Amino acid sequence: MEFTISHPDEGIREKLVDKINNLTKPKGSLGMLESLALQAGMIQQTLSPVLKNPQNIIFAADHGITEEKVSLSPRAITWQQISNFLHGGAGINFLCRQHGFTLKIVDAGVDYDLPRDKGIIDRKIRKGTRNFLHEDAMTDSEMQLCLKYGAECVTDSHDEGCNVISFGEMGIGNTSASSMWMTYLAGIPLDKCVGAGSGLQGDALKHKYEVLKRACDNYDGPSAPEAIMRRFGGYEMVMAVGAMLRAAELHMIILVDGFIMTNCMLAASKLYPAVLDYAVFGHQGDESGHRLLLEYLDAKPLLNLGLRLGEGSGSVCAYPILDSAIRMINEMDNFAHASIIKYF
């Protein structure tokens, strides 16, 4: 699947900077709010950017690598937590309610027959990926279908008036898949990429690393992004990549969540580097390797709260900071109108 993603037109940058610098404050005194306002104005190509109908889409799927006991949590947690989402009892639910987000749940490949009358978006590829220790996690046609489905979900959100979007995930085993993407796509040593996931420590964490190291040793295929995504990825992760690329194509602001979604943005950027212009990184998570990945992407996260929940929780939690930036550029007076001598 192909996307048309361009860097925002630079023609408006000087006017945006001038507007921000002439608000009634010392230049640069509102720090990251100023850079966020500039980024939003560049994305929307306006001196008065707005946030409309924010949505958080959770893509959910299971992973074949869980056969190797790389997670403390059983595979059934994936579908059980989806049920929790539907009943409004998960972490992401209260955050979406608090900040006015529409929450959507997409079954990308959950190993369970979920009820289709409860509002779940059915895009199931297969009941979980294959075990990447021994073979490709997915076929090329499955990967392309994931990109297509992810993009279609964003098109639907955009048609509903959404211009700022967050993505989350649910899938036991996806920190293992993300660690593999990170080491291959960012060139960071595997031992720096593997973390606790759902709570591994000691020998269990060592076992996870050893399994992933064997997966590296067993793979002698190409290092192109598509090949790495296909070999080690999850259906929910590749759908998120397609969603991010489509959001950038539609000039939407993309709120990036934690370790797994940052790896999805990494993969998206390897396919279309300009996608990073549309990304606002919500937080630095507690998962080992997330800080290194953010540094690799030259990303400046808005929060550092020790989060490692996933689901889009960190990006939705960071949304009020983005909202403050938009309010700053639209609601603050300027020196000339307020009859205040410009000060620094």
Side-chain angles (χ1 to χ4, degrees):
M1 187 172 182
E2 294 185 358
F3 297 85
T4 302
I5 301 174
S6 58
H7 296 286
D9 191 324
E10 289 290 319
I12 199 173
R13 179 181 294 275
E14 186 176 345
K15 291 181 179 179
L16 276 164
V17 170
D18 184 68
K19 180 176 181 180
I20 293 168
N21 286 345
N22 279 286
L23 299 175
T24 52
K25 58 175 180 53
K27 180 179 177 181
S29 62
L30 282 176
M32 195 171 286
L33 296 186
E34 299 188 24
S35 58
L36 278 173
L38 175 60
Q39 183 181 7
M42 290 292 294
I43 290 171
Q44 297 182 7
Q45 292 289 290
T46 177
L47 298 181
S48 300
V50 296
L51 303 176
K52 297 187 295 184
N53 190 17
Q55 298 194 10
N56 183 64
I57 302 177
I58 296 179
F59 297 100
D62 283 299
H63 291 250
I65 193 63
T66 56
E67 297 169 7
E68 307 302 325
K69 312 299 183 186
V70 294
S71 174
L72 284 178
S73 301
R75 191 162 164 144
I77 293 293
T78 302
W79 73 261
Q80 291 172 3
Q81 187 67 342
I82 290 173
S83 178
N84 194 22
F85 294 152
L86 296 176
H87 288 92
I92 192 58
N93 292 105
F94 83 78
L95 287 167
C96 284
R97 288 193 294 266
Q98 179 184 4
H99 301 304
F101 274 68
T102 298
L103 177 62
K104 294 181 176 180
I105 313 298
V106 180
D107 178 3
V110 179
D111 188 10
Y112 191 80
D113 293 319
L114 294 164
R116 298 305 169 198
D117 59 344
K118 302 297 184 181
I120 296 172
I121 300 171
D122 182 10
R123 295 295 183 270
K124 192 191 296 286
I125 302 294
R126 185 175 180 268
K127 288 188 173 182
T129 56
R130 299 160 188 85
N131 186 345
F132 66 65
L133 179 62
H134 306 296
E135 59 182 321
D136 286 355
M138 64 190 74
T139 66
D140 186 69
S141 60
E142 288 172 348
M143 181 181 70
Q144 295 299 329
L145 197 56
C146 284
L147 292 170
K148 176 177 179 289
Y149 283 162
E152 288 176 350
C153 288
V154 170
T155 299
D156 290 342
S157 294
H158 185 264
D159 289 346
E160 293 162 2
C162 171
N163 73 352
V164 54
I165 195 160
S166 166
F167 303 108
E169 43 63 38
M170 184 63 223
I172 300 302
N174 57 17
T175 60
S176 293
S178 296
S179 296
M180 300 301 285
W181 280 15
M182 179 178 169
T183 194
Y184 276 97
L185 298 179
I188 297 172
L190 182 63
D191 64 319
K192 304 293 186 185
C193 304
V194 179
S198 59
L200 294 177
Q201 296 180 357
D203 289 343
L205 182 56
K206 180 181 178 183
H207 170 74
K208 178 180 179 180
Y209 168 76
E210 290 173 346
V211 168
L212 298 187
K213 178 64 169 62
R214 285 182 8 236
C216 287
D217 294 339
N218 290 345
Y219 179 65
D220 59 359
S223 58
E226 296 91 336
I228 300 306
M229 290 166 59
R230 181 174 62 246
R231 176 70 180 197
F232 302 110
Y235 296 132
E236 83 283 23
M237 294 167 62
V238 180
M239 282 196 196
V241 172
M244 290 172 176
L245 293 173
R246 179 57 173 154
E249 188 173 47
L250 291 170
H251 295 267
M252 300 169 73
I253 298 172
I254 305 168
L255 292 168
V256 184
D257 192 41
F259 181 64
I260 295 151
M261 287 298 103
T262 304
N263 271 287
C264 292
M265 180 55 71
L266 168 69
S269 71
K270 293 298 180 180
L271 298 173
Y272 295 88
V275 70
L276 289 171
D277 292 340
Y278 301 86
V280 173
F281 291 84
H283 74 112
Q284 179 182 311
D286 203 35
E287 180 69 16
S288 175
H290 194 200
R291 176 181 59 82
L292 294 176
L293 183 55
L294 289 167
E295 289 175 355
Y296 174 83
L297 292 170
D298 195 27
K300 296 176 175 60
L302 301 183
L303 300 173
N304 186 347
L305 301 178
L307 305 177
R308 56 181 180 89
L309 176 62
E311 305 173 4
S313 55
S315 52
V316 175
C317 200
Y319 174 78
I321 299 176
L322 175 62
D323 185 38
S324 293
I326 299 302
R327 290 176 182 273
M328 177 203 76
I329 196 171
N330 288 323
E331 297 180 18
M332 282 187 73
D333 209 340
N334 59 61
F335 287 111
H337 183 264
S339 300
I340 298 173
I341 298 173
K342 190 172 183 179
Y343 63 103
F344 299 93

